[in-house]
Amino acid sequence: MYFIYYAIKGILFDELQTIEHTKCKPLSVAMVVAQGSRKILGFRVSQMPATGHLARIARKKYGFRPDHRREGLRVLFKTIRPLLTQHPRIQSDEHPYYKPLIQQFFPDSK
């Protein structure tokens, strides 16, 4: 098996939400693509708790559902880190918990 490694200068990443057979069991899909080409570099599916008016219903029916989104992003960033240049340009929607994770894995990023 051959692996080709590229020195990717920039990435775009975001999370989308979907469900696991019911809206009371949401999932987060974090995805990273190369800037410019939009080639998928990696993705990670993570469990998350229901929010809004479904939160109470979900807890009653399915119990406590832990939020694994941050851990999913950690695994994803660790996986793609070798593909990037030393000072990659990173773009996202600036969700509050993204910044500490980006600084942890890509301290020299723009």
Side-chain angles (χ1 to χ4, degrees):
M1 182 185 294
Y2 294 98
F3 293 100
I4 300 173
Y5 292 99
Y6 300 98
I8 296 169
K9 296 178 183 177
I11 60 170
L12 303 152
F13 80 92
D14 200 3
E15 293 175 292
L16 65 90
Q17 291 183 9
T18 188
I19 61 169
E20 179 185 344
H21 94 274
T22 173
K23 288 183 181 180
C24 289
K25 290 183 171 183
L27 298 171
S28 171
V29 182
M31 182 172 289
V32 177
V33 298
Q35 191 175 14
S37 70
R38 305 261 175 148
K39 290 184 180 181
I40 298 171
L41 302 177
F43 68 93
R44 190 75 178 182
V45 179
S46 304
Q47 185 179 25
M48 62 184 281
T51 59
H53 71 281
L54 292 175
R56 185 175 47 80
I57 297 166
R59 280 191 304 273
K60 183 177 179 181
K61 191 167 185 178
Y62 300 106
F64 175 75
R65 189 171 170 92
D67 190 350
H68 294 296
R69 292 178 288 177
R70 284 182 179 89
E71 183 57 33
L73 278 173
R74 281 186 188 97
V75 171
L76 180 59
F77 287 164
K78 187 176 179 181
T79 303
I80 66 159
R81 188 172 25 188
L83 304 174
L84 305 180
T85 60
Q86 190 170 353
H87 303 286
R89 180 173 184 81
I90 299 176
Q91 293 181 331
S92 73
D93 62 0
E94 300 180 9
H95 193 281
Y97 70 79
Y98 292 167
K99 190 173 182 175
L101 291 172
I102 291 170
Q103 288 175 344
Q104 177 185 352
F105 287 93
F106 310 107
D108 299 325
S109 66
K110 301 172 197 157

